[in-house]
């Protein structure tokens, strides 16, 4: 499990690097609680790359956000404090409800249960293979749990991330609408060793 202070750094990197994402709109305090919950819930994984005390990047994934939400609710007072500004924004509240109630509903059937939720590398450390190592570490952590495939939902606006996932061997499997307005591509990463042994 990661050091307590790292959740705030992960949240700040998420907010800076994945700024098109809806979660970033909920603010750094909410993201800090969310990444703590992801790290502490048994069904999800947070992997960080820290070098000389600096966060270079992180990846998160899991097999369902139910336990993560339950963990968040255990931190109710902090959660309310973090979301206080959002509670006065009907548009953001509507989008939270959409995410909680409709995630995956428009996605095709037969998708992997596991998902890469987010990956980001600090701009100072990009192009050095940090994301490649984080991605491989998540794949290995899933494999340790007997999970051989996972999906990734990537917004249309994130072209570099799409290029990265293709490079890692994930394949586009469908197009979906996550929150009404934004289009996304759903990639699937499969353990090809099972299909074509060397
Ligand atoms: C996508 C991201 C995580 C890649 O991080 P990175 O550490 O620079 O990636 P790596 O150095 O490990 O790159 C591995 C391969 O991915 C591909 N790739 C990475 N970034 C790319 C880019 N901007 N454009 C095209 N291809 C890219 C390259 O083929 C690279 O291999 P190569 O160096 O042999 O050419 C990083 O750009 C980032 O944090 N982006 C913002 C956050 C984001 O969009 N996250 C995804 C949404 S959840």
């Amino acid at each position: 499990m990661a050091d307590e202070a790292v959740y705030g750094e992960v949240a700040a990197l998420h907010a800076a690097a994945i700024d098109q994402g809806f979660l970033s709109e909920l603010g750094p305090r909410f993201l800090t609680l969310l990444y703590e919950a992801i790290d502490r819930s048994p069904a999800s994984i947070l992997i960080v790359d820290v070098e000389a005390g600096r966060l270079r990047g992180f990846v998160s994934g899991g097999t369902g956000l139910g336990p993560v939400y339950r963990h968040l609710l255990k931190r109710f007072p902090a959660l309310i404090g973090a979301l206080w500004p959002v509670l006065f924004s009907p548009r953001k509240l509507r989008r939270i409800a959409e995410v909680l109630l409709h995630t995956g509903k428009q996605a095709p059937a037969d998708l992997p249960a596991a998902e890469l939720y987010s990956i980001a590398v600090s701009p100072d450390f990009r192009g050095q293979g940090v994301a490649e190592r984080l991605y491989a570490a998540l794949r290995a952590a899933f494999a340790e749990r007997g999970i051989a495939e996972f999906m990734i939902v990537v917004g249309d606006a994130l072209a570099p991330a799409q290029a990265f996932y293709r490079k890692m061997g994930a394949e586009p499997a469908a197009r979906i609408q996550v929150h009404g307005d934004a289009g996304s591509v759903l990639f699937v990463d499969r353990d090809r060793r099972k299909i074509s042994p060397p």
Side-chain angles (χ1 to χ4, degrees), residues 132-153:
E132 193 167 344
R133 286 193 294 278
L134 285 166
Y135 189 94
L138 181 71
R139 201 188 254 153
F142 276 142
E144 258 174 42
R145 295 165 185 226
I147 296 167
E149 57 179 28
F150 56 92
M151 62 178 184
I152 311 145
V153 178

Short mmCIF file of all heavy atoms in Angstrom, two decimals, residues 132-153:
data_model
loop_
_atom_site.label_atom_id
_atom_site.label_comp_id
_atom_site.label_asym_id
_atom_site.label_seq_id
_atom_site.Cartn_x
_atom_site.Cartn_y
_atom_site.Cartn_z
N GLU A 132 5.16 2.67 -19.89
CA GLU A 132 5.27 1.28 -20.35
C GLU A 132 5.50 0.34 -19.16
O GLU A 132 4.87 -0.71 -19.05
CB GLU A 132 6.44 1.20 -21.34
CG GLU A 132 6.48 -0.08 -22.12
CD GLU A 132 7.45 -0.01 -23.30
OE1 GLU A 132 7.86 1.10 -23.70
OE2 GLU A 132 7.79 -1.08 -23.79
N ARG A 133 6.38 0.75 -18.22
CA ARG A 133 6.65 -0.09 -17.04
C ARG A 133 5.43 -0.16 -16.12
O ARG A 133 5.11 -1.21 -15.57
CB ARG A 133 7.86 0.45 -16.27
CG ARG A 133 9.18 0.16 -16.97
CD ARG A 133 10.36 0.42 -16.04
NE ARG A 133 10.51 1.82 -15.70
CZ ARG A 133 11.11 2.73 -16.48
NH1 ARG A 133 11.61 2.37 -17.64
NH2 ARG A 133 11.20 3.99 -16.11
N LEU A 134 4.73 0.97 -15.96
CA LEU A 134 3.54 0.98 -15.10
C LEU A 134 2.46 0.06 -15.68
O LEU A 134 1.82 -0.70 -14.96
CB LEU A 134 2.99 2.40 -14.97
CG LEU A 134 3.78 3.35 -14.06
CD1 LEU A 134 3.35 4.80 -14.29
CD2 LEU A 134 3.60 2.96 -12.58
N TYR A 135 2.29 0.16 -17.01
CA TYR A 135 1.28 -0.66 -17.69
C TYR A 135 1.61 -2.15 -17.50
O TYR A 135 0.74 -2.96 -17.18
CB TYR A 135 1.26 -0.28 -19.17
CG TYR A 135 0.13 -0.87 -19.98
CD1 TYR A 135 -1.05 -0.15 -20.18
CD2 TYR A 135 0.23 -2.13 -20.57
CE1 TYR A 135 -2.08 -0.68 -20.95
CE2 TYR A 135 -0.80 -2.65 -21.33
CZ TYR A 135 -1.95 -1.92 -21.52
OH TYR A 135 -2.98 -2.44 -22.28
N ALA A 136 2.89 -2.49 -17.68
CA ALA A 136 3.32 -3.89 -17.51
C ALA A 136 3.11 -4.34 -16.06
O ALA A 136 2.72 -5.48 -15.80
CB ALA A 136 4.78 -4.04 -17.91
N ALA A 137 3.34 -3.43 -15.10
CA ALA A 137 3.15 -3.78 -13.68
C ALA A 137 1.67 -4.03 -13.37
O ALA A 137 1.34 -4.93 -12.60
CB ALA A 137 3.70 -2.66 -12.79
N LEU A 138 0.79 -3.23 -13.98
CA LEU A 138 -0.65 -3.46 -13.76
C LEU A 138 -1.06 -4.80 -14.38
O LEU A 138 -1.79 -5.57 -13.76
CB LEU A 138 -1.49 -2.32 -14.36
CG LEU A 138 -3.00 -2.50 -14.12
CD1 LEU A 138 -3.36 -2.28 -12.65
CD2 LEU A 138 -3.82 -1.57 -15.00
N ARG A 139 -0.56 -5.05 -15.60
CA ARG A 139 -0.87 -6.33 -16.26
C ARG A 139 -0.42 -7.50 -15.37
O ARG A 139 -1.14 -8.48 -15.20
CB ARG A 139 -0.14 -6.37 -17.60
CG ARG A 139 -0.72 -7.33 -18.60
CD ARG A 139 0.22 -7.42 -19.79
NE ARG A 139 -0.25 -6.73 -20.97
CZ ARG A 139 0.57 -6.24 -21.90
NH1 ARG A 139 1.89 -6.31 -21.76
NH2 ARG A 139 0.08 -5.66 -22.97
N ALA A 140 0.77 -7.37 -14.78
CA ALA A 140 1.31 -8.44 -13.92
C ALA A 140 0.47 -8.56 -12.64
O ALA A 140 0.22 -9.68 -12.17
CB ALA A 140 2.77 -8.15 -13.58
N ALA A 141 0.04 -7.43 -12.07
CA ALA A 141 -0.78 -7.47 -10.85
C ALA A 141 -2.13 -8.14 -11.14
O ALA A 141 -2.64 -8.91 -10.32
CB ALA A 141 -0.99 -6.06 -10.30
N PHE A 142 -2.70 -7.84 -12.32
CA PHE A 142 -3.95 -8.53 -12.71
C PHE A 142 -3.67 -10.02 -12.88
O PHE A 142 -4.44 -10.87 -12.40
CB PHE A 142 -4.49 -7.95 -14.02
CG PHE A 142 -5.33 -6.70 -13.86
CD1 PHE A 142 -5.25 -5.67 -14.79
CD2 PHE A 142 -6.24 -6.56 -12.81
CE1 PHE A 142 -6.04 -4.52 -14.67
CE2 PHE A 142 -7.03 -5.41 -12.68
CZ PHE A 142 -6.94 -4.40 -13.62
N ALA A 143 -2.57 -10.36 -13.56
CA ALA A 143 -2.25 -11.77 -13.82
C ALA A 143 -2.10 -12.54 -12.50
O ALA A 143 -2.57 -13.68 -12.38
CB ALA A 143 -0.98 -11.88 -14.65
N GLU A 144 -1.50 -11.89 -11.49
CA GLU A 144 -1.35 -12.52 -10.17
C GLU A 144 -2.71 -12.88 -9.57
O GLU A 144 -2.83 -13.78 -8.77
CB GLU A 144 -0.69 -11.54 -9.20
CG GLU A 144 0.76 -11.80 -8.95
CD GLU A 144 1.38 -10.70 -8.09
OE1 GLU A 144 0.73 -10.26 -7.13
OE2 GLU A 144 2.49 -10.28 -8.45
N ARG A 145 -3.73 -12.10 -9.95
CA ARG A 145 -5.09 -12.36 -9.44
C ARG A 145 -5.87 -13.25 -10.40
O ARG A 145 -7.10 -13.35 -10.30
CB ARG A 145 -5.83 -11.03 -9.29
CG ARG A 145 -5.21 -10.16 -8.23
CD ARG A 145 -5.71 -8.73 -8.33
NE ARG A 145 -5.00 -7.89 -7.38
CZ ARG A 145 -5.58 -7.00 -6.58
NH1 ARG A 145 -6.87 -6.80 -6.65
NH2 ARG A 145 -4.87 -6.29 -5.75
N GLY A 146 -5.18 -13.83 -11.38
CA GLY A 146 -5.84 -14.73 -12.32
C GLY A 146 -6.62 -14.00 -13.40
O GLY A 146 -7.49 -14.58 -14.07
N ILE A 147 -6.33 -12.70 -13.60
CA ILE A 147 -7.06 -11.91 -14.58
C ILE A 147 -6.19 -11.77 -15.84
O ILE A 147 -5.09 -11.21 -15.78
CB ILE A 147 -7.41 -10.52 -14.01
CG1 ILE A 147 -8.35 -10.68 -12.82
CG2 ILE A 147 -8.00 -9.62 -15.08
CD1 ILE A 147 -8.51 -9.41 -11.99
N ALA A 148 -6.69 -12.28 -16.97
CA ALA A 148 -5.88 -12.31 -18.19
C ALA A 148 -6.27 -11.23 -19.19
O ALA A 148 -5.62 -11.08 -20.22
CB ALA A 148 -6.00 -13.68 -18.85
N GLU A 149 -7.36 -10.50 -18.92
CA GLU A 149 -7.73 -9.44 -19.86
C GLU A 149 -8.38 -8.29 -19.12
O GLU A 149 -9.00 -8.47 -18.07
CB GLU A 149 -8.64 -9.96 -20.97
CG GLU A 149 -9.90 -10.61 -20.47
CD GLU A 149 -10.78 -11.09 -21.63
OE1 GLU A 149 -10.25 -11.39 -22.71
OE2 GLU A 149 -12.00 -11.15 -21.43
N PHE A 150 -8.20 -7.09 -19.67
CA PHE A 150 -8.82 -5.92 -19.05
C PHE A 150 -9.14 -4.90 -20.13
O PHE A 150 -8.61 -4.96 -21.25
CB PHE A 150 -7.92 -5.32 -17.96
CG PHE A 150 -6.53 -4.93 -18.41
CD1 PHE A 150 -6.25 -3.65 -18.85
CD2 PHE A 150 -5.50 -5.86 -18.38
CE1 PHE A 150 -4.97 -3.28 -19.24
CE2 PHE A 150 -4.21 -5.51 -18.78
CZ PHE A 150 -3.94 -4.22 -19.21
N MET A 151 -10.05 -3.99 -19.79
CA MET A 151 -10.43 -2.97 -20.78
C MET A 151 -9.96 -1.59 -20.34
O MET A 151 -9.60 -1.38 -19.18
CB MET A 151 -11.94 -2.98 -21.01
CG MET A 151 -12.76 -2.65 -19.80
SD MET A 151 -14.51 -2.64 -20.22
CE MET A 151 -15.21 -2.12 -18.68
N ILE A 152 -9.96 -0.67 -21.29
CA ILE A 152 -9.54 0.70 -21.03
C ILE A 152 -10.49 1.59 -21.83
O ILE A 152 -10.69 1.35 -23.02
CB ILE A 152 -8.10 0.95 -21.55
CG1 ILE A 152 -7.14 -0.14 -21.09
CG2 ILE A 152 -7.61 2.33 -21.15
CD1 ILE A 152 -6.07 -0.50 -22.08
N VAL A 153 -11.09 2.58 -21.18
CA VAL A 153 -11.96 3.53 -21.89
C VAL A 153 -11.17 4.83 -22.06
O VAL A 153 -10.71 5.40 -21.08
CB VAL A 153 -13.27 3.77 -21.11
CG1 VAL A 153 -14.14 4.80 -21.83
CG2 VAL A 153 -14.03 2.46 -20.93
#
